[in-house]
Amino acid sequence: MNKIRVVVAGPRGKMGSEALKMIERQDDLELVACLDHKFEGRKINEVADFTSLDAIIFTDIQDCLDNVQADVLIDLTTPEYGYLHTKTAIENGVRPVVGTTGFTEDQLDELTELSEEKGIGVIIAPNFALGAVLMMQFAKWAAKYFPDVEIIEKHHDNKLDAPSGTAVKTAQLIKEVREPKKQGHPEEKETIEGARGADVDGMRIHSMRLPGLVAHQEVVFGAKGENLTIKHDSFHRESFMTGVKLAVDQVMKLDLLVYGLENILE
Ligand SMILES: NC(=O)c1ccc[n+]([C@@H]2O[C@H](COP(=O)([O-])OP(=O)(O)OC[C@H]3O[C@@H](n4cnc5c(N)ncnc54)[C@H](O)[C@@H]3O)[C@@H](O)[C@H]2O)c1
Ligand SMILES: O=C(O)C1=N[C@H](C(=O)O)CCC1
């Protein structure tokens, strides 16, 4: 069996460490290198106690891809480096599976074009939890019948980007079926700026950041005399790993960029 050769960027992070544990459990994946912002040249098991994998750490993606044979890059870093890593991987013929959130629309467009030009598969998924993907699909369905909707996302307080990638993706999916509509009182005024949340075509996104949270979202629909709430909770980051493994397998068969796990689920 030919194993899929994987590089993980952000291996010591909350998600990256789960990704390494996931790779260690799989017979068909091989960790060939890690990308970190420190510990150049060390082995990952020398600097992290949660893994016995002994892949070498690089601090520069081009150096890494020049020196190891890789099929897939799993990126779980920051918006700035995630974008640089994804672009460099595509340019080097390595298929990115990207969990990092916070890319701009322009960056997504640019990466889509580049992947098409190079014929390299890319999967960018703002949420790898299967329950979250279903929550987004259910929300899109509900929005056809309930155009008044607010999204409340709740995450741990180390998160860099707001709103979450999941909330942005949910709003995009809802936009596909909902006419733009200003919600609330036509003359409502915020007496404290931001009170009504971010505005996407008149639907509101509220972002909560608190210690103790992992990743949670409620999509609340309102109509006369009734409310519908669609809710998903990730209590542990292991919840994302089924989706990461699925994406690694599927990206090997793609020659373009796919944004959202729903596009590769059967
Ligand atoms: N798609 C999903 O399902 C999903 C789920 C959880 C988190 N995320 C996203 O994944 C990203 C990481 O989240 P996290 O909670 O693991 O964050 P984290 O802060 O725990 O981990 C990020 C890691 O990236 C590393 N890093 C920073 N700069 C780097 C560089 N230049 N090269 C290599 N590594 C570098 C840091 O050292 C850190 O260990 C975030 O963007 C988050 O929004 C996505
Ligand atoms: O922990 C995070 O950060 C997460 N980010 C994703 C997002 O922005 O939607 C998904 C869940 C966890």
Side-chain angles (χ1 to χ4, degrees):
M1 174 181 50
N2 279 342
K3 293 190 179 196
I4 302 176
R5 297 164 298 182
V6 181
V7 174
V8 172
R12 293 177 302 111
K14 293 183 282 300
M15 280 291 281
S17 53
E18 284 302 322
L20 257 53
K21 290 181 212 165
M22 182 276 289
I23 291 170
E24 213 160 351
R25 293 191 294 268
Q26 308 297 324
D27 293 333
D28 59 345
L29 302 185
E30 180 188 0
L31 185 75
V32 291
C34 288
L35 256 181
D36 205 323
H37 61 95
K38 56 183 189 179
F39 299 126
E40 169 79 32
R42 304 282 303 276
K43 290 181 175 174
I44 186 65
N45 60 355
E46 293 170 358
V47 301
D49 59 9
F50 55 81
T51 183
S52 60
L53 296 171
D54 61 357
I56 298 285
I57 299 172
F58 290 83
T59 52
D60 179 81
I61 179 144
Q62 191 59 60
D63 186 25
C64 175
L65 301 183
D66 284 346
N67 283 284
V68 296
Q69 294 289 317
D71 301 302
V72 173
L73 167 80
I74 301 178
D75 192 275
L76 300 159
T77 60
T78 62
E80 184 188 353
Y81 284 101
Y83 169 70
L84 172 74
H85 293 162
T86 306
K87 191 171 172 212
T88 312
I90 301 171
E91 284 166 348
N92 284 268
V94 174
R95 294 151 192 271
V97 166
V98 182
T100 306
T101 52
F103 291 1
T104 64
E105 264 184 48
D106 285 350
Q107 287 176 330
L108 287 171
D109 289 345
E110 195 196 321
L111 294 171
T112 302
E113 257 178 52
L114 187 63
S115 71
E116 242 175 70
E117 186 190 310
K118 301 277 182 192
I120 294 291
V122 180
I123 297 177
I124 302 182
N127 202 314
F128 282 115
L130 299 190
V133 177
L134 292 174
M135 174 261 297
M136 289 185 259
Q137 292 297 308
F138 296 155
K140 179 180 178 181
W141 185 23
K144 270 170 92 170
Y145 309 101
F146 296 97
D148 286 84
V149 50
E150 308 224 350
I151 298 168
I152 305 164
E153 56 97 340
K154 308 173 193 180
H155 282 82
H156 58 91
D157 60 348
N158 283 318
K159 187 161 178 57
L160 290 175
D161 52 318
S164 70
T166 309
V168 174
K169 174 79 183 172
T170 308
Q172 278 176 358
L173 290 170
I174 291 176
K175 268 173 77 167
E176 289 173 19
V177 296
R178 172 187 177 275
E179 289 301 318
K181 177 182 194 297
K182 187 178 183 312
Q183 293 177 193
H185 195 285
E187 287 165 30
E188 77 178 7
K189 284 198 176 57
E190 288 181 334
T191 54
I192 300 180
E193 197 186 323
R196 288 289 287 119
D199 185 339
V200 181
D201 270 2
M203 91 184 102
R204 299 291 173 157
I205 303 179
H206 310 272
S207 297
M208 195 183 281
R209 298 289 177 264
L210 287 172
L213 293 171
V214 178
H216 317 261
Q217 180 166 293
E218 289 172 36
V219 189
V220 187
F221 296 90
K224 280 186 185 153
E226 62 177 323
N227 273 186
L228 168 67
T229 302
I230 301 172
K231 180 171 183 277
H232 177 262
D233 297 280
S234 272
F235 299 111
H236 192 285
R237 289 177 180 83
E238 205 177 334
S239 62
F240 303 114
M241 293 305 135
T242 312
V244 173
K245 172 67 168 83
L246 181 73
V248 170
D249 292 340
Q250 292 300 314
V251 81
M252 295 299 293
K253 304 173 192 162
L254 295 173
D255 58 5
L256 43 70
L257 185 148
V258 163
Y259 175 55
L261 209 64
E262 70 279 8
N263 297 304
I264 57 160
L265 286 178
E266 293 180 354

